[in-house]
Amino acid sequence: METRLVFLLAALLATALLESKPVLPTPASEADHSLSGVFETGNFHPIQSDVGTASSCSPPRSLLIFRPEEKGTYPVILFHHGTGCQNSWYTDVFKFISSHGYIVVAPQLYGLMPPSGQVELDLAAEVANWLPSGLRCVLPEDIEGDMHNLALAGHSRGGYIAFALALGLADVSLDVDFSALIGVDPVAGTSKNNQMEPKILNYESCSFNFSIPVAIIGTGLGDKPAFPILPQTCAPDGVSHTEIFNECKPPCSHFVTSDYGHMDVLDDDIGPIGELARAVCKGSRRGVSRDPMRRTVGGVFVAFLEAFFEGNYTDYNKILQKPNYFAPATLDPVQNKSEGTPCSSLSAMSVDEL
């Protein structure tokens, strides 16, 4: 009797297990770590336009502009190119950012040979002052730039120009207010003893006298020489992303694409002059795609601006907390100075801690 009862209970239990569909706990990595697609192409359709100084809208310098095709009002990013670079070499990144609902304005501040830092800075200020009326002139009637959400950005020497503008170092008075600042491997000179003029670094923590939110995207290979026999680097220690982050006030975040170099943010097809410029900087290994670098840069732009322009901090906080779960390129280290905390307080996360 007992044996039959045991077999009956076992059969009933087996049947229940087969027929039921148990709900297993969802791992935290699946339940809590999804993004809204900031590292993928967005839903808008970017349109490119080139605006020369001879056009009826008369910008101080020629411009490359990317904006969504769809009608609407969009935040504006004023982006400054790096040393000897063409604004067209950043097309992939500009298109990516614009596809998320942004207008990118990229002036060509000079040709192959850069002017003095002060001259370049003043040209950048003139372009910034042109934006409120000039951008309205070049955009279709159903597209508007939101000048209340105006971000300042730049790569390499252009990153230095962005910080110098924010610090008010231009001899040209600014008629616009910037709401955010993003530096892509910014470089402020060739060494501590040879900074660009006007100087922005004084080697004191939180010394920058502006309080707009900042994101800095550095590279892990930028401070390495391209050729073992030559000591020169494209983003030298002491005048590049690490020190610039040190001198930012909260809120400020710092991301380092550890496997990529100073020029890996550029398009793949940049012509012979571009390839020569790329060759003098140490970059990713031969055969390694640069697309993860560009998508990481674009995604950080989008998540950062969504946080500080729209108040949607979800994606940005997730990237800060678990960068290598989300980002296409490895980010290590990631550092953050949170708003409202003492400047000496720094939360740093490395790959080993995540």
Side-chain angles (χ1 to χ4, degrees), residues 39-258:
F39 291 118
E40 302 299 330
T41 302
N43 296 324
F44 295 90
H45 300 88
I47 298 293
Q48 174 184 339
S49 58
D50 297 272
V51 182
T53 55
S55 74
S56 58
C57 298
S58 303
R61 309 300 292 176
S62 61
L63 306 173
L64 180 62
I65 298 176
F66 282 87
R67 50 90 178 170
E69 181 181 26
E70 293 79 1
K71 66 180 180 180
T73 300
Y74 303 100
V76 179
I77 301 169
L78 179 60
F79 187 98
H80 302 92
H81 60 81
T83 306
C85 292
Q86 298 293 308
N87 51 12
S88 60
W89 296 351
Y90 301 88
T91 294
D92 287 349
V93 170
F94 294 163
K95 287 174 64 177
F96 183 97
I97 295 170
S98 184
S99 77
H100 285 269
Y102 294 89
I103 296 171
V104 182
V105 179
Q108 187 65 48
L109 294 177
Y110 56 87
L112 187 61
M113 297 301 296
S116 70
Q118 190 67 62
V119 169
E120 183 178 357
L121 181 58
D122 293 344
L123 287 171
E126 290 176 9
V127 173
N129 287 340
W130 171 89
L131 285 173
S133 60
L135 193 57
R136 175 65 277 163
C137 175
V138 301
L139 293 175
E141 291 185 0
D142 57 356
I143 305 286
E144 290 190 24
D146 181 0
M147 298 306 296
H148 296 292
N149 284 318
L150 173 61
L152 190 55
H155 167 238
S156 187
R157 174 171 163 145
Y160 154 80
I161 291 296
F163 277 90
L165 269 182
L167 288 166
L169 298 179
D171 288 337
V172 175
S173 297
L174 281 175
D175 300 329
V176 295
D177 293 320
F178 298 106
S179 303
L181 173 56
I182 305 172
V184 181
D185 220 18
V187 179
T190 58
S191 70
K192 287 184 179 182
N193 298 323
N194 190 26
Q195 285 194 56
M196 293 278 297
E197 295 286 353
K199 295 178 181 179
I200 65 170
L201 301 174
N202 57 27
Y203 302 96
E204 293 181 11
S205 181
C206 297
S207 62
F208 288 161
N209 63 353
F210 58 77
S211 299
I212 60 175
V214 177
I216 299 168
I217 308 165
T219 62
L221 304 180
D223 63 349
K224 308 292 190 297
F227 307 100
I229 60 173
L230 298 175
Q232 290 83 5
T233 67
C234 288
D237 285 336
V239 289
S240 55
H241 58 93
T242 301
E243 180 56 34
I244 292 173
F245 171 68
N246 177 53
E247 303 202 21
C248 285
K249 294 178 180 178
C252 181
S253 301
H254 181 213
F255 307 85
V256 180
T257 54
S258 56

